[in-house]
Amino acid sequence: TQLLEQSPQFLSIQEGENLTVYCNSSSVFSSLQWYRQEPGEGPVLLVTVVTGGEVKKLKRLTFQFGDARKDSSLHITAAQPGDTGLYLCAGIPDQKLTFGTGTRLTIIP
Amino acid sequence: GAVVSQHPSRVICKSGTSVKIECRSLDFQATTMFWYRQFPKQSLMLMATSNEGSKATYEQGVEKDKFLINHASLTLSTLTVTSAHPEDSSFYICSAFVFLDYGYTFGSGTRLTVV
């Protein structure tokens, strides 16, 4: 059983559309991170959210940490082909970075 | 910034042979490194935690005799896949925790193909 479940697992949308990816858990986390991974490369950190209810923005990406610190969401506005990739949320239970199930996003030009 | 160098990036080996993957921290010391495995279209699964100067800690279901981890210095951890089988074919990625940045930095991964 995965500690962090992401939905959707796959998402393919047209350029310019908006989308939201969800990361859910039954456990409470002191913080959650979001990564993006390109094929054949290691994941790259996008953001760390620490406070329940926190909202962070990174250009067209908006990250939110749930009030109960059990879930998080990533919203992308006006998606572009360069946003294509595998998006991973991650938490740190027992001091070990553990990844969610992943969302593979494809933006169609 | 903190960089982790992983080699080789790709390797093809025959069934039954062993393959060693290296992970080096280039500009910082890493007392702890992590090894992940990623199958196609899936997320990263933690295999083991590598601790400098002590035995690695393996996740449930990971065979410690098959995936040998050595962390002999503060800048180098190695993963050796012993008696490789085709089902060991995967993308292996190492990671190190960079305390000051409060984050984890990742190697570029190793694509292992066992034929």
Side-chain angles (χ1 to χ4, degrees), chain B residues 2-71:
Chain B
V3 175
V4 169
S5 176
Q6 186 173 343
H7 293 281
S9 58
R10 291 178 177 271
V11 59
I12 301 174
C13 71
K14 292 184 177 181
S15 291
T17 61
S18 295
V19 174
K20 180 185 285 188
I21 302 170
E22 292 189 349
C23 184
R24 294 180 184 272
S25 57
L26 295 186
D27 47 6
F28 67 101
Q29 294 182 332
T31 56
T32 302
M33 288 189 176
F34 304 89
W35 288 94
Y36 294 84
R37 180 168 55 185
Q38 185 177 32
F39 292 107
K41 300 187 187 302
Q42 294 187 21
S43 184
L44 284 75
M45 296 298 294
L46 181 64
M47 297 175 66
T49 303
S50 168
N51 302 295
E52 187 270 334
S54 65
K55 291 183 178 180
T57 305
Y58 291 81
E59 296 300 302
Q60 191 172 9
V62 178
E63 300 175 59
K64 59 181 67 177
D65 293 332
K66 180 170 185 59
F67 298 99
L68 300 179
I69 291 174
N70 184 281
H71 196 154

Side-chain angles (χ1 to χ4, degrees), chain A:
Chain A
T1 303
Q2 246 355 86
L3 193 60
L4 290 163
E5 294 283 344
Q6 286 182 238
S7 61
Q9 186 177 1
F10 298 96
L11 183 59
S12 181
I13 63 171
Q14 293 289 138
E15 180 178 0
E17 294 184 355
N18 302 331
L19 66 107
T20 302
V21 175
Y22 300 93
C23 174
N24 294 291
S25 175
S26 57
S27 301
V28 175
F29 288 89
S30 58
S31 65
L32 280 180
Q33 298 182 326
W34 283 92
Y35 291 80
R36 191 175 95 180
Q37 184 185 21
E38 304 280 354
E41 298 180 10
V44 175
L45 179 66
L46 296 174
V47 77
T48 300
V49 285
V50 179
T51 307
E54 180 179 9
V55 176
K56 281 191 174 179
K57 291 193 174 185
L58 186 65
K59 296 183 180 179
R60 293 177 293 101
L61 278 61
T62 302
F63 304 86
Q64 185 164 8
F65 200 10
D67 291 339
R69 291 184 287 125
K70 292 183 178 182
D71 56 88
S72 182
S73 64
L74 157 61
H75 183 79
I76 300 180
T77 303
Q80 298 177 3
D83 296 328
T84 293
L86 177 65
Y87 288 82
L88 299 158
C89 64
I92 313 174
D94 302 322
Q95 300 182 332
K96 294 180 289 187
L97 188 65
T98 302
F99 287 92
T101 48
T103 295
R104 188 162 297 279
L105 175 63
T106 303
I107 308 301
I108 304 167

